[in-house]
Amino acid sequence: MNEQAPPNVQVLLEALPYIREFHGRTVVIKYGGAAMRDPDLREAFATDVVLLKYVGLNPVIVHGGGPEITEYMERLGMEVRFHEGLRVSDAETVEVAKMVLLGKLNTDIVLRLNRHGQAAVGLSGEDGWLFEVTPVPSAEQVGFVGTIERVNVDVLNHIAADYIPVIASAASDRDGNSYNVNADEAAGKVAAALGAYKAIFLTDVVGWLGDPEDEGTLVTRAGVADVEERLPAVSGGMRPKLQACIDAIGGGTRYAHIIDGRKPHSLLLELFTDAGIGTMVTP
Ligand code: ADP
Ligand code: MG
């Protein structure tokens, strides 16, 4: 670093090697948690993503919306139930989930990115038949919850060439039934299918913790074999995230990160500074 440069210029100089490394590369970002709900964090996120596009990266956003779906179901007087972490989803539940994911959350994200200066295009797993899904093994208990068998990246490649794709984690099967899909799974499989350089998962914890109760046990770096070995002992929402990191790396992604989305501009911190935050999974 150039010690003579004023601090604000030093920040740019620190970013330069990263900008050079990432230029032209695809980065898949799983968006969720506080970064999607808190108004200030939403603005910060949009600024970050637009900046990525301006400096020559290809950001691809994948989002869920569990808490918002629950909130709307409750407003409609529908029963909200979970079975082993999956939302029990009858046809009406999936209908509401799609309305919330696409009609509300997806358009909100697209509008905000547009407003910050880069045109975004919203789609779900149903557009261009992006995701081919089959029912999860526990479908008898949970109903229309799907797992992604295949990602048809053609539609994404077309959009990402000029716009920022914003993907809602809904999809349908060959018979046209719609399904809920876990957004972490979707992000991991999109990263794999695109051969993305990086996959970044924003969440509401500092990263993967060896002991979920103790922030001091943050795993800062792990190889994919290590993650696979420890996965059976991981529970809750961290499990699909780590599985998604494994999926992404399996598809050629070089780095998968789980970072704290409660921190403003966590994306820029991760990508363009020497700090290194959260958990990094490597091949
Ligand atoms: P998101 O919206 O980011 O998908 P989730 O609630 O699905 O959020 O997943 C993150 C949650 O996983 C954390 O808030 C935490 O409660 C839980 N969790 C379970 N095990 C761990 C672990 N080992 N390390 C970190 N978080 C964990
Ligand atoms: Mg989750």
Side-chain angles (χ1 to χ4, degrees), residues 20-169:
R20 194 187 290 138
E21 178 186 351
F22 302 147
H23 193 87
R25 309 267 201 194
T26 297
V27 51
V28 173
I29 302 158
K30 153 67 193 315
Y31 186 37
M36 208 161 111
R37 281 193 299 279
D38 178 272
D40 292 337
L41 293 175
R42 280 201 293 246
E43 286 292 307
F45 174 81
T47 310
D48 291 4
V49 172
V50 164
L51 192 146
L52 299 189
K53 189 78 175 175
Y54 274 122
V55 299
L57 284 81
N58 287 315
V60 174
I61 315 296
V62 180
H63 70 91
E68 291 82 359
I69 294 166
T70 296
E71 195 187 302
Y72 275 84
M73 286 179 69
E74 283 169 350
R75 271 205 224 173
L76 292 167
M78 296 167 74
E79 190 194 358
V80 176
R81 277 198 301 135
F82 286 88
H83 175 84
E84 290 173 356
L86 299 175
R87 185 185 303 276
V88 177
S89 303
D90 57 11
E92 287 75 30
T93 301
V94 177
E95 190 177 34
V96 173
K98 267 173 68 171
M99 283 165 55
V100 174
L101 281 173
L102 278 156
K104 170 125 182 53
L105 301 174
N106 191 272
T107 45
D108 278 0
I109 301 165
V110 166
L111 279 173
R112 195 163 290 107
L113 293 171
N114 289 346
R115 209 160 40 69
H116 280 80
Q118 283 283 350
V121 172
L123 71 169
S124 81
E126 296 177 343
D127 292 285
W129 215 19
L130 178 61
F131 300 151
E132 290 181 30
V133 299
T134 52
V136 292
S138 60
E140 200 138 313
Q141 285 83 40
V142 297
F144 292 106
V145 180
T147 183
I148 299 172
E149 292 287 310
R150 209 181 119 80
V151 178
N152 299 307
V153 289
D154 190 54
V155 62
L156 263 190
N157 284 328
H158 281 287
I159 295 173
D162 293 305
Y163 305 100
I164 301 172
V166 180
I167 305 165
S169 58

